[in-house]
Amino acid sequence: MRKIVRLVARTGCRTHILHVSSGLSVDVLRRAKAEGLPVSAETCPHYLTLDCDHIPDNATEFKCCPPIRDLREQDALWEGLADGTLDCVVTDHSPADAGMKAGTFATAWGGVSSLQVGFRTVLTGALKRGFASSDVVRWMARNTARLAGLDDRGEIAPGLRADLAIVRP
């Protein structure tokens, strides 16, 4: 991560970091943003809601890259979301059937399919930590839409595309 930030500082190239799972990465990104560097970053639902100490041995359904880390790292990710260091939460978009996730860690597909449960798991984790549903909407809709250049969506306002969902926590 430090090398990437040094390259961003040297070139000024807008850079987006995927799948942040480490508190160390959050710290590096925080300093880069404080320096005004054009970086953005995301994390995923599984990094915010699962921890390696509660994953059974050989549970290949949890294999992903980077790997799921411990609660200390998870806390740092939530802090990064709270202070804006991490811009958004996105799913891994790595669908795999049970056969692809079977076998050993050397052979199993490396990704966590979470599109179908991402919002719900992040909302549950956020509410437990004292965040509001509006925080989750910002991380998973508004900020993501803006990052992708979709300025006509991401919030409910006159003139914007109205993609609505009703959630009952």
Side-chain angles (χ1 to χ4, degrees), residues 19-36:
H19 298 204
V20 175
S21 67
S22 161
L24 177 62
S25 294
V26 172
D27 291 340
V28 171
L29 288 162
R30 187 176 287 117
R31 286 190 297 276
K33 286 187 169 197
E35 293 172 17

Side-chain angles (χ1 to χ4, degrees), residues 29-50:
L29 288 162
R30 187 176 287 117
R31 286 190 297 276
K33 286 187 169 197
E35 293 172 17
L37 296 177
V39 294
S40 57
E42 67 187 45
T43 190
C44 301
H46 45 283
Y47 299 129
L48 294 168
T49 58
L50 301 173

Side-chain angles (χ1 to χ4, degrees), residues 52-68:
C52 62
D53 295 326
H54 291 92
I55 295 175
D57 289 343
N58 301 312
T60 55
E61 62 268 30
F62 297 101
K63 177 185 175 185
C64 56
C65 185
I68 295 167

